[in-house]
Structures are given as structure tokens and as C-alpha cells.
Amino acid sequence: MVAGTQRKHYMLGGKGGVGKTSCAASLAVKFANHGHPTIVISTDPAHSLSDSFAQDLSGGTLVPVEGVDSPLFALEINPEKAREEFRTASQGSGGGGGGGDGMKDLMDSMGLGMLADRVMQFVESQQYNMFTRIVFDTAPTGHTLRLLSLPDFLDASIGKMMKLKKKLASTTSAFKSVFGKEKKQQDVAVMAISESSRLHASLRKECIPVQRLIVNQVLPPSASDCKFCAMKRKDQMRVLETIMSDPQLANLRLVQAPLVDVEIRGVPALKFMGDMIWK
């Protein structure tokens, strides 16, 4: 992943709340520490990228990240704000009345079109030519698929979105599953597997290659007599077997990110995480 100086784009997507942002930020730090000028862009309205880097990245411009060996810049793009700006402009021009769900869908789509404009700035603009790695931390699965399938129902953005698809299709994508957190862990894990499987199928339909599946918060084998830990790990091993038997996921490179006892926040913690999962 760090080999070569030609520009590469990496997109991380999947179920909400599974740690996509930590993985994306740790990958960006990994690239920067291997000599690649890097941009990491979040399209997730949750603003988790600011939390991961412990910096305010919500201003709409690239912010330099300190503590890495090569230039690393980060940015949060808020798709909700983009949609709201379109609604305001539409109402101001007399386009806000009537239309029901169809008008709402159009406005939402145009918001994503504006988001696509921002993303394409970093993919195509000459002023960003120095960057050899661009990492996209995407919003939860549904938002991502709407963004990538936008040309299906919004003619005005076809050119830009097809260019974005072409750029992504020549590079590597990654997406995530997770074992869940507190409640009904097994049920949450199965839901995440199903969502990841659907995401992979949809990305293949859009001709976007996927190479890795990251499974987050994997418990290591217990060296103690902790029965709870042993039970949880046994549940996780069953989930891993389910992943490996899923026709959409079985051929992907499976990356297990271990559960750690530190908060993944700030460059040192992100480097620690990246050294474990991005090999």
C-alpha cells in the first residue's frame, strides 16, 4: 500500500459506529510516515475525524496535522450542511414549494452533488498534485452508496461522478465490519456482516474494487481464567467463520484489528493502531 509514488485513493466505508474513522486516520498517518504527502477527507457528518486527530477539522479547509514525517492534511466535509445550503438556495429561487418526496429526494441528491464537487477538487485539482495518497473516510453505508450511485438519478452530476468512479476504480477500496459493542453483540455483528456484504456487492456493481475487510475490536486469546473473555472470543470466532463463508466477503483479505485498552486519539495512538492493522 505504501509502494510507489503514483497517486492512489483509498476509501473506507461500512456500518456506522464501527471505527471507520480511526482506521482511515491511522492509514493516513501510516502513509505520511512512509514519505507520502497525504490528504484524509471525511464525508461523515459525525465529525469523528476531528476527534481522531484531536484537532478541529470542521472549517471547510485543509488543516495540517502535526507529528508526522511527511505533509498530512485533513478535512471534514459535512453533507448535511451541503444539502441544507441547497434547500435554502432552492427556496430562495422559488423552488421550495410542493413536490413532496420527489422534491426532497432531488434536494438531497443535489446536496450530495455539491459534496461530489468538493471531493473532486481533491481528486483533480492541480494545486493538490503533490499529494500521492488520498484517503476517504466515508459516511455510513447508505450515504456512501447514494453518493456513488448519484448519476443514476441526477444528470447534472454525471460527468463529475463518473470521473470520481473512474479514479476510484483504478485504486484500492477498503470497508469494515465490526463485532458490536455492548448490546446483543452477536445480533449486531450479523447485521454488520450483512451490511458489509451488500456494500461489497454494490461497489462491485459500480466497478469499484474492494480488497480488504477490516474486522474491528477482536479479542486476543485470554491468558487468564476470564470466562467472560473466553465466551466473547468464542462468539467472535463464530462471526469470523460466518464472514469467511459469505460469498461476497470470503475472497477479501481479512484484517483483524485487535481490541485495545487505550483511546485511539491523536497521532501517536493512530500510529500505534496503524502499525497493527496496516501491514
Side-chain angles (χ1 to χ4, degrees), residues 10-88:
Y10 290 82
M11 182 176 68
L12 289 91
K15 186 174 173 61
V18 299
K20 293 186 302 295
T21 299
S22 295
C23 289
S26 69
L27 180 59
V29 169
K30 185 85 168 180
F31 285 145
N33 284 338
H34 279 76
H36 288 287
T38 302
I39 300 174
V40 56
I41 304 164
S42 175
T43 61
D44 189 339
H47 299 308
S48 300
L49 199 62
S50 289
D51 293 335
S52 289
F53 283 110
Q55 293 183 226
D56 183 4
L57 308 173
S58 61
T61 59
L62 289 174
V63 176
V65 175
E66 298 178 356
V68 291
D69 296 338
S70 292
L72 171 59
F73 288 81
L75 168 68
E76 289 174 336
I77 301 173
N78 191 338
E80 300 297 333
K81 183 178 179 181
R83 281 196 287 269
E84 186 58 37
E85 287 174 352
F86 175 77
R87 289 189 184 98
T88 301

Side-chain angles (χ1 to χ4, degrees), residues 83 105 108-109 112 142-150 153:
R83 281 196 287 269
D105 288 344
D108 285 348
S109 301
L112 287 174
H143 298 278
T144 302
L145 292 180
R146 289 184 65 200
L147 176 62
L148 292 173
S149 63
L150 195 55
F153 53 91

Side-chain angles (χ1 to χ4, degrees), residues 155-252:
D155 291 344
S157 291
I158 284 181
K160 290 169 185 164
M161 292 309 302
M162 290 306 295
K163 287 179 182 178
L164 176 57
K165 285 184 185 180
K166 184 176 179 181
K167 292 284 185 179
L168 289 172
S170 64
T171 59
T172 302
S173 300
F175 66 91
K176 292 182 46 56
S177 181
V178 73
F179 284 131
K181 296 187 178 178
E182 297 295 333
K183 58 179 182 178
K184 296 184 179 178
Q185 182 172 328
Q186 194 78 8
D187 292 343
V188 174
V190 172
M191 289 172 58
I193 293 171
S194 298
E195 189 164 319
S196 294
S197 183
R198 292 195 302 271
L199 175 57
H200 187 206
S202 298
L203 290 172
R204 288 182 63 185
K205 182 180 177 182
E206 298 293 338
C207 300
I208 297 175
V210 179
Q211 295 187 1
R212 292 170 179 82
L213 172 65
I214 305 170
V215 184
N216 201 15
Q217 299 181 355
V218 179
L219 282 169
S222 178
S224 67
D225 295 328
C226 174
K227 293 183 179 180
F228 175 79
C229 300
M231 179 185 69
K232 288 294 185 182
R233 179 169 170 80
K234 187 176 181 180
D235 287 344
Q236 291 186 350
M237 294 306 103
R238 289 198 201 101
V239 174
L240 285 171
E241 289 176 4
T242 303
I243 291 172
M244 290 184 284
S245 64
D246 186 289
Q248 286 291 341
L249 307 178
N251 294 327
L252 297 173

